[in-house]
Amino acid sequence: MSPSAPRTGPAGAPPAGSRPGGRSARVRAAVHRAVRELVADESGDALTIPVVAARAGVHATTVYRRWGSVGELLSDVATSRFTGGFVVPDTGSLRGDLERYAANMARDLSDPDTLALVRATLGSGGEQGAAACQGDRRQQLAAILEREEARGGGTPSLDHLTDALVAPLYYRAVFTDLPLATAWARDLVARLLPDEAPQPPADR
Amino acid sequence: MSPSAPRTGPAGAPPAGSRPGGRSARVRAAVHRAVRELVADESGDALTIPVVAARAGVHATTVYRRWGSVGELLSDVATSRFTGGFVVPDTGSLRGDLERYAANMARDLSDPDTLALVRATLGSGGEQGAAACQGDRRQQLAAILEREEARGGGTPSLDHLTDALVAPLYYRAVFTDLPLATAWARDLVARLLPDEAPQPPADR
């Protein structure tokens, strides 16, 4: 291993799991930052490892050795972006938790840089990239459901919750130019938990 | 314009709107086929115009001149793939039409080559690519709803239908490795049109 020293300085705090201040952590931070910036600036040109390496100020061979391909690299960046660091709402009710969770997701996926990262990672990362874009959402939603069960409430299954809440949010963000409005996200929860406000088929 | 003759022969019938047998139509067919093959073979390498041109047996300048970028090219291929050519079911009932439509979508999106094209197009095509992956689904679903209204039946809104049926199908295909089972697709319709089989929150 003979990575060149990053031309740019270390980018903020080193990621968890790396030795703080180590050269490896600095390279990782510089490369991740370069990927995030290039994806956000997306000009329609393909993201390549030489371009990322030049922007990060490291040798391309270092990037190839550590990540192997653009798909692996994007998956790693997406995993960092979408795993951990999110607070799971605990409002005391399933409805409250899901409304808060959906509103947070809607806000997050409305960010153009986040959306660009999701699309780029789906484009190059295959199954691994797709999983990376999910982060730990399933575990987070499972935790919300478990709390409701502990309170003695009925809950939808995790798969039903995913179909009814997570899927429309990701779909609308990734496939359409419709806004991810908070009121719309709340409607998704109302359809999923209809006891308070029954939804006829022609509900809007 | 001085495109080289395609090294490969013309790929099947020329697309609608092109002069049958014209050189332009042959170039388009060869380039589209090259893109579909390269996306299906996806090795994790970036799809670039020179690579597509070499595979199609045309000059890269021809591809740049006609499509401009990989994103434009993928969007064009996805539009061809997902627009027209699908028969909208007409079973005589909203439930029957939607079950058939959802089963068709599930089968289509279960094809690995189709999925690879969707992911690649999302990755490079921006808003235009995202729209291309939808093809004319909104018009098709609107037609199904209009027929039900003409029969005097109540219908969900097109947006509700999209959230409840289209979104989970695309989401499960693109973001997860879960199977797009026909029974699951039928469950989505049952949740959307609950009059026959009411769905409590804890439905499975």
Side-chain angles (χ1 to χ4, degrees), chain B residues 87-93 96-97 100 144 147 151:
Chain B
V87 176
V88 179
D90 187 4
T91 64
S93 78
D97 286 357
R100 186 76 59 83
I144 288 175
R147 273 205 304 262
R151 285 188 293 260

Side-chain angles (χ1 to χ4, degrees), chain A residues 42-110:
Chain A
E42 185 67 84
S43 58
D45 298 334
L47 191 74
T48 65
I49 284 187
V51 168
V52 169
R55 178 118 179 181
V58 303
H59 281 308
T61 48
T62 304
V63 180
Y64 280 115
R65 205 182 290 125
R66 185 145 168 186
W67 284 279
S69 70
V70 168
E72 294 270 344
L73 178 52
L74 277 165
S75 296
D76 190 38
V77 172
T79 298
S80 290
R81 173 68 182 74
F82 296 114
T83 306
F86 293 108
V87 176
V88 180
D90 187 4
T91 64
S93 78
L94 178 60
R95 187 178 304 269
D97 286 357
L98 293 180
E99 285 181 352
R100 185 76 59 85
Y101 194 91
N104 289 349
M105 263 190 82
R107 190 167 47 246
D108 192 33
L109 291 170
S110 295

Side-chain angles (χ1 to χ4, degrees), chain B residues 37-92:
Chain B
E37 290 173 357
L38 286 165
V39 167
D41 291 349
E42 184 66 84
S43 58
D45 297 335
L47 191 75
T48 65
I49 285 187
V51 168
V52 170
R55 178 118 179 182
V58 302
H59 281 307
T61 47
T62 303
V63 180
Y64 280 116
R65 207 182 288 124
R66 186 147 168 184
W67 284 279
S69 70
V70 168
E72 295 270 343
L73 178 51
L74 277 165
S75 295
D76 190 38
V77 173
T79 298
S80 290
R81 172 69 182 74
F82 295 114
T83 305
F86 293 108
V87 176
V88 179
D90 187 4
T91 64

Side-chain angles (χ1 to χ4, degrees), chain A residues 42-48 69-71 115-116 118-124 126-127 130-131 133-134 138 154-160 162-164 166-178 184 188 191-195 199-204, chain B residues 42-48 69-71 115-116 118-124 126-127 130-131 133-134 138 154-160 162-164 166-178 184 188 191-195 199-204:
Chain A
E42 185 67 84
S43 58
D45 298 334
L47 191 74
T48 65
S69 70
V70 168
L115 181 56
V118 169
R119 284 183 172 152
T121 305
L122 288 173
S124 314
E127 295 296 332
C133 292
Q134 297 310 295
R138 278 187 79 82
T155 61
S157 70
L158 185 53
D159 280 347
H160 184 178
T162 301
D163 292 339
V166 176
L169 282 155
Y170 271 100
Y171 174 82
R172 189 171 268 213
V174 169
F175 284 96
T176 80
D177 55 3
L178 296 172
W184 166 76
L188 296 174
R191 285 191 205 127
L192 175 65
L193 305 175
D195 52 83
Q199 302 290 319
D203 60 334
R204 58 169 187 164
Chain B
E42 184 66 84
S43 58
D45 297 335
L47 191 75
T48 65
S69 70
V70 168
L115 181 57
V118 169
R119 283 184 174 152
T121 305
L122 288 174
S124 313
E127 295 295 334
C133 293
Q134 297 310 295
R138 276 187 81 84
T155 61
S157 70
L158 184 53
D159 279 347
H160 184 177
T162 302
D163 291 339
V166 176
L169 281 155
Y170 273 99
Y171 174 82
R172 189 173 268 212
V174 169
F175 283 96
T176 80
D177 55 3
L178 295 172
W184 166 75
L188 296 175
R191 284 189 206 131
L192 175 65
L193 305 175
D195 51 84
Q199 302 289 320
D203 61 334
R204 57 169 188 166

